[in-house]
């Protein structure tokens, strides 16, 4: 710890922040400038066996990154984006579903005590939406929604250049919007949420569950290597199970996003996350939104497109950008 403190006690640069992006499967840590330039970064594993192992993963990743030799500018603050519910005012990680955080953890106090730097904490998709606001769609549109579909699903809502947070910083949990009251069971305890139908994790889970019903499906040959891009590829080749999974995910996302467009009247819809790396799937979804949105909402929707920010790094950019929000 003393080595890290000596490293941090060098003169800090107000133009550089340390970003920590805590996801369900990995943790990204890196130095980022105020203009959005990535100076150095590294990926670390997340052990989500328990709350203790999850937090230990965060501490180990941060400690390892900060103890590596670094001749560049020293960050002036830390921004951390985490899965689940946060209190961004106090810096408390309240709880998470995909990571077993059941008891509140004050990340702000813990990290500040460890490294002697100011700390800002927020939900990971709020952080990614903040990156979009600073470096992406927000440079053109003052009101937009940012939908992230990866392992889970969540949304950042920006209105008049400000992130909408709701009464308890929980706005944007579209992954648990009800799209089919008789649909799949969800990890949240309800049935018919968007996430188990259309997230990357949900699509894969359904594929493995349904493979027995489709003994001739080409998806069998991928075994544990199956992922959503392969499912979309096989759907285009005519595999019946893959076609069903793709169709049902697209329909569920279309229902949810059309409702969002009609409700919030945004100027743009920006798609982010690993599932939308399949451009054809993203474009088909955007056509559905155009088709089913109300005329006035559709007319105001000037932009529907995948994010121009690198999906691999948008969470880390967002986490660091929290320092300057």
């Amino acid at each position: 710890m003393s080595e890290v403190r000596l490293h941090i006690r060098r003169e800090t640069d107000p133009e550089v922040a340390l970003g920590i992006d805590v996801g369900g499967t990995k943790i990204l840590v890196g130095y980022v400038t105020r203009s959005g330039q990535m100076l150095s970064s590294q990926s670390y594993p997340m052990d989500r066996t328990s709350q203790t192992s999850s937090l230990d993963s965060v501490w180990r990743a941060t400690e390892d990154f900060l103890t590596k030799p670094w001749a560049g500018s020293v960050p002036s603050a830390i921004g951390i984006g985490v899965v689940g519910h946060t209190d961004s005012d106090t810096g408390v990680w309240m709880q998470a579903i995909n990571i077993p955080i059941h008891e509140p953890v004050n990340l702000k106090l813990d990290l500040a005590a460890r490294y002697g730097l100011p700390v800002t904490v927020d939900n990971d998709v709020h952080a990614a939406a903040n990156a979009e606001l600073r470096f992406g769609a927000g440079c053109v549109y003052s009101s937009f929604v940012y939908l992230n579909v990866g392992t889970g699903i969540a949304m950042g809502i920006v209105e008049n250049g400000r992130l909408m947070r709701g009464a308890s910083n929980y706005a944007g949990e579209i992954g648990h919007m009800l799209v089919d009251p008789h649909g799949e069971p969800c990890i949240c305890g309800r049935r018919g949420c968007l996430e188990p139908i259309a997230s990357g994790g949900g699509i894969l889970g359904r594929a493995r569950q349904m493979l027995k019903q489709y003994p001739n499906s080409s998806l069998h040959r991928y075994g544990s290597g199956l992922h959503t891009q392969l499912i979309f590829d096989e759907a285009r080749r005519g595999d019946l199970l893959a076609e069903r999974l793709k169709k049902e995910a697209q329909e569920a996302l279309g229902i949810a996003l059309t409702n969002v467009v009609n409700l919030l009247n945004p100027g743009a819809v920006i798609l982010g996350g690993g599932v939308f790396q399949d451009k054809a799937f993203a474009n088909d979804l955007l056509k559905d939104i155009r088709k089913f949105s109300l005329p006035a909402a559709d007319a105001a929707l000037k932009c529907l497109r995948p994010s121009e920010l690198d999906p691999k790094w948008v969470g880390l950019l967002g986490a660091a950008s929290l320092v300057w929000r």
Side-chain angles (χ1 to χ4, degrees), residues 5-301:
R5 286 193 172 278
L6 288 172
H7 172 61
I8 290 297
R9 284 173 180 167
R10 289 164 43 197
E11 184 177 353
T12 60
D13 185 342
E15 298 297 309
V16 176
L18 177 74
I20 307 171
D21 176 30
V22 179
T25 57
K26 65 180 182 300
I27 301 166
L28 294 175
V29 187
Y31 297 126
V32 180
T33 69
R34 187 190 291 259
S35 62
Q37 180 186 4
M38 193 82 64
L39 299 178
S40 177
S41 63
Q42 186 161 335
S43 177
Y44 296 89
M46 163 57 82
D47 178 357
R48 52 180 177 174
T49 305
S50 66
Q51 175 159 323
T52 299
S53 68
S54 299
L55 291 172
D56 284 345
S57 295
V58 176
W59 307 144
R60 283 195 299 270
T62 307
E63 190 86 0
D64 180 79
F65 188 82
L66 285 174
T67 54
K68 290 184 180 301
W70 172 246
S73 298
V74 176
S76 59
I78 298 172
I80 178 168
V82 298
V83 174
H85 184 199
T86 66
D87 183 331
S88 60
D89 292 330
T90 62
V92 173
W93 194 1
M94 303 296 293
Q95 60 86 29
I97 297 175
N98 294 335
I99 295 176
I101 302 299
H102 307 300
E103 299 294 330
V105 182
N106 197 316
L107 294 176
K108 181 176 182 175
L109 289 181
D110 287 351
L111 284 167
R114 286 168 183 259
Y115 304 116
L117 292 174
V119 179
T120 305
V121 180
D122 210 339
N123 166 272
D124 60 339
V125 176
H126 284 180
N130 198 61
E132 199 68 50
L133 180 60
R134 291 186 62 88
F135 311 123
C139 298
V140 181
Y141 304 99
S142 62
S143 298
F144 65 90
V145 294
Y146 168 78
L147 177 69
N148 186 286
V149 181
T151 304
I153 301 179
M155 173 179 283
I157 305 165
V158 174
E159 175 65 23
N160 291 327
R162 296 179 63 85
L163 186 67
M164 292 178 61
R165 298 185 171 278
S168 62
N169 198 39
Y170 207 53
E173 287 297 323
I174 190 175
H176 299 284
M177 177 185 283
L178 190 69
V179 293
D180 179 2
H182 307 292
E184 300 289 330
C186 182
I187 193 172
C188 75
R190 303 191 306 162
R191 181 178 289 274
C193 292
L194 176 64
E195 189 165 290
I197 303 172
S199 69
I203 294 170
L204 282 174
R206 295 188 73 215
R208 294 184 179 116
Q209 185 181 40
M210 297 165 67
L211 274 170
K212 289 183 180 179
Q213 302 173 37
Y214 292 81
N216 297 320
S217 172
S218 59
L219 301 185
H220 283 279
R221 69 170 177 260
Y222 295 109
S224 60
L226 184 65
H227 54 77
T228 53
Q229 184 60 62
L230 291 172
I231 292 172
F232 295 155
D233 290 343
E234 293 299 333
R236 283 186 278 272
R237 296 185 185 107
D239 182 85
L240 294 180
L241 174 56
E243 283 182 335
R244 176 179 173 180
L245 293 166
K246 177 180 179 294
K247 177 176 180 288
E248 291 178 356
Q250 182 182 323
E251 287 178 346
L253 284 167
I255 290 169
L257 263 181
T258 300
N259 288 338
V260 166
V261 168
N262 290 338
L263 178 67
L264 299 179
N265 190 205
V269 172
I270 307 299
L271 306 179
V275 168
F276 292 128
Q277 291 188 54
D278 188 291
K279 302 304 182 187
F281 180 74
N283 289 333
D284 287 345
L285 173 62
L286 295 175
K287 289 175 185 176
D288 285 349
I289 299 169
R290 284 292 189 197
K291 182 178 179 181
F292 295 111
S293 296
L294 292 170
D298 180 62
L301 197 55

